[in-house]
Amino acid sequence: PLRHRSLCAPRSHAYAGTAMTDALTSPWSETQLAAIDAQLERMLAGDALRRSPRLQRLLRHVVAATLSGTAHRLKGYTLGVEVFDRGADFDPNVNPIVRIEAGRLRTRLLAHYGGEGARDPMRIEMPKGGYAVRFSQRGRPALRIDPQDGLRVASNKGDIA
């Protein structure tokens, strides 16, 4: 399997062009970053995503953006250009690639946690209606980044507990 740079390494890149979290300014603790990084690696190597470089790249990107505090930039156009290599003339209203691939990723995340990842200590999910991810540890509420207020505990009924 491919090896990826750690998401918790200060000033590292999950892939070219994505600035990562600096440990000095991150709302995430080193322990949380290490757990998220380990979960991401488990998912990328798992059956649900192992053979899909496109979905791996999307997941890596949305995790990196969420951790670096730039989840507010996760829009159809931005993902089309930065993840799916579409040109500056990309129009997400005409080309649905981002919505389609995000839907596929959501399905694969559910498949992972319904199968081999059922006992994973952490979960990464991408709720419908956006592209930012949420993280949860078994027995704890999901965490998300609020662009205005920083780290928050998610409180939707569908949150993972």
Side-chain angles (χ1 to χ4, degrees), residues 41-60:
E41 292 299 322
R42 266 191 298 279
M43 296 193 69
L44 295 174
D47 291 340
L49 293 172
R50 181 180 28 237
R51 290 185 177 89
S52 182
R54 182 183 284 199
L55 293 180
Q56 288 181 355
R57 189 170 178 192
L58 176 58
L59 181 59
R60 251 192 253 133

